[in-house]
Amino acid sequence: MHLATLARHALSRGTTPAATYALLTRRTRKPLPSARAVCLALTIPLAETTRRLDDCYDALLANPRPGSETDTGELLEALGVFDVPASLDATGLAVVELFLVAIDAMGGIRAGHQHGLSRWFTTGNLTAAYLSLAAARPLPRTGDPTRYWTALITAGELLTTTPNPDTRIKYALTHCRTQAATHP
């Protein structure tokens, strides 16, 4: 049976992408084709699948340790290899552009925070990205607080116009407005 078909079947039964990868790899002893099958079963385009797997091939898939299938699957999932790209509408794209302005105005960002934001942009989880940025702040020496809070206020206003906005966005927007007023 074709690996992508097996992956689709496992995913349709509620198996996580990480667990599906582990299942396929244990069965085939072929980590790269198993990871590719999971990505394709999740409808991630082949070119994007190839790029993602090339990025982590040497570290995770080239020389797997026996019995490490579950750990490797979880790492692939944590790295965003199995993240399904969302199609953003014009509002979503504008919000992401404002987030990028805010990130630039931070004056520096931790790698882990950047990774999380990148995953949320890919999957279209703009609420999580907004809440994360609203809880952060620009660096004292290199950041631009005015530009940072202004970008987040505009992004928050756009997010509140979407159908059924998360109520946490309104609280975060109020926080951003307060920060903008105290950091002109």
Side-chain angles (χ1 to χ4, degrees):
M1 189 179 276
H2 192 264
L3 279 179
T5 302
L6 287 172
R8 267 191 296 283
H9 178 71
L11 292 166
S12 74
R13 298 180 57 84
T15 306
T16 66
T20 300
Y21 164 82
L23 175 81
L24 294 177
T25 304
R26 274 190 216 99
R27 182 175 184 166
T28 65
R29 303 280 183 238
K30 296 179 180 177
L32 181 61
S34 296
R36 183 180 300 114
V38 173
C39 289
L40 296 176
L42 291 166
T43 68
I44 298 169
L46 180 59
E48 178 64 12
T49 294
T50 301
R51 184 194 65 75
R52 291 178 186 189
L53 294 175
D54 284 349
D55 286 348
C56 65
Y57 177 77
D58 290 336
L60 295 174
L61 302 172
N63 298 303
R65 289 184 341 264
S68 67
E69 299 88 0
T70 299
D71 292 340
T72 301
E74 289 172 2
L75 277 169
L76 291 169
E77 197 165 278
L79 289 171
V81 171
F82 301 137
D83 286 353
V84 178
S87 295
L88 298 175
D89 60 11
T91 301
L93 292 172
V95 168
V96 169
E97 286 300 316
L98 288 163
F99 289 164
L100 294 175
V101 169
I103 290 167
D104 184 57
M106 282 180 96
I109 188 168
R110 293 181 341 272
H113 193 191
Q114 178 66 40
H115 176 69
L117 289 167
S118 175
R119 289 189 69 193
W120 291 324
F121 296 168
T122 298
T123 60
N125 191 346
L126 302 184
T127 297
Y130 183 70
L131 296 174
S132 176
L133 288 168
R137 60 185 26 137
L139 295 174
R141 285 189 235 187
T142 56
D144 181 345
T146 301
R147 203 168 67 131
Y148 183 76
W149 297 116
T150 300
L152 289 182
I153 289 168
T154 306
E157 289 169 346
L158 284 173
L159 287 171
T160 60
T161 66
T162 60
N164 305 314
D166 189 313
T167 55
R168 297 174 298 170
I169 292 172
K170 292 178 185 177
Y171 294 116
L173 178 55
T174 300
H175 170 74
C176 292
R177 287 181 174 137
T178 301
Q179 292 299 311
T182 59
H183 298 93

